[in-house]
Amino acid sequence: MSKRQSGELNLTVTGMTCQGCVGTVRRVVSAVQGVEDLAVDLATGNVRVRGALDPEEVMAVIRDAGYEVCRA
């Protein structure tokens, strides 16, 4: 059962250490159905996602990529 919600999701991701990490997070989150816009800030660890999406799905793909994530 999908828990998709329209709006903005703000996350804090830890473990990103370089632009390669930013690219990985962008790639995996962009692949999630419903993602319309995405911003990843390496310096702060903030990830902002907009669209009609399931927050748990977005967080799961980030974890699966090897990073820790929580809602900001």
Side-chain angles (χ1 to χ4, degrees):
M1 185 165 144
S2 177
K3 297 177 184 173
R4 295 197 187 286
Q5 302 170 5
S6 289
E8 184 171 289
L9 176 63
N10 291 294
L11 303 170
T12 300
V13 177
T14 55
M16 295 189 299
T17 59
C18 65
Q19 288 301 319
C21 296
V22 170
T24 297
V25 171
R26 289 187 61 79
R27 180 177 45 81
V28 299
V29 173
S30 293
V32 174
Q33 182 179 356
V35 172
E36 297 170 5
D37 187 44
L38 170 64
V40 181
D41 187 318
L42 175 62
T44 63
N46 290 331
V47 175
R48 181 192 40 78
V49 188
R50 290 186 191 156
L53 44 91
D54 177 350
E56 293 303 319
E57 182 180 0
V58 173
M59 293 172 65
V61 298
I62 294 171
R63 284 188 196 104
D64 289 347
Y67 305 97
E68 295 293 322
V69 60
C70 65
R71 288 186 185 229

